[in-house]
Amino acid sequence: MASKEPSFEEQLTKLQGIVNQLEQGNVPLEEAIQQFQEGIKLSKDLQKKLTSAEKTLGHLIDDNGEEKEYEKATDDPSNNGGGNRGFGSED
């Protein structure tokens, strides 16, 4: 029976645990190197999953059922959003 791939959340929790152990500094050098390598692998896997999810969510279905690319709002004042003036700005 094939083993199930861990979820994004499971991998993230494991990576956080590794980071916490390494930050404490009480891990033997050989184990620290092994954990560091595992952390790098987890980090790369998580980044791939995020990139894939971003691509998937980057498309919208319009009213006619057509798929179209999602356009992110920017802080550019020319986008009719008024720009990012911040709290307490006066115009």
Side-chain angles (χ1 to χ4, degrees):
M1 186 170 149
S3 63
K4 181 182 111 176
E5 183 178 331
S7 71
F8 179 86
E9 291 77 10
E10 291 168 338
Q11 286 182 306
L12 184 59
T13 298
K14 187 170 186 175
L15 179 58
Q16 289 171 332
I18 290 171
V19 169
N20 289 338
Q21 285 182 344
L22 292 175
E23 284 179 341
Q24 290 175 6
N26 57 3
V27 178
L29 179 61
E30 293 81 12
E31 187 178 338
I33 291 170
Q34 184 180 19
Q35 286 183 344
F36 179 79
Q37 290 173 332
E38 184 177 358
I40 294 295
K41 181 184 179 309
L42 282 168
S43 177
K44 288 179 182 181
D45 289 348
L46 290 168
Q47 185 60 48
K48 284 180 189 176
K49 286 183 179 183
L50 283 174
T51 300
S52 176
E54 190 175 68
K55 286 179 184 177
T56 300
L57 296 174
H59 291 87
L60 299 175
I61 305 297
D62 66 15
D63 293 336
N64 298 324
E66 302 286 324
E67 185 177 297
K68 64 180 187 177
E69 186 110 4
Y70 173 73
E71 295 178 19
K72 294 180 185 176
T74 65
D75 287 340
D76 181 358
S78 66
N79 74 354
N80 296 329
N84 185 3
R85 296 189 186 100
F87 181 75
S89 294
E90 294 185 27
D91 285 342

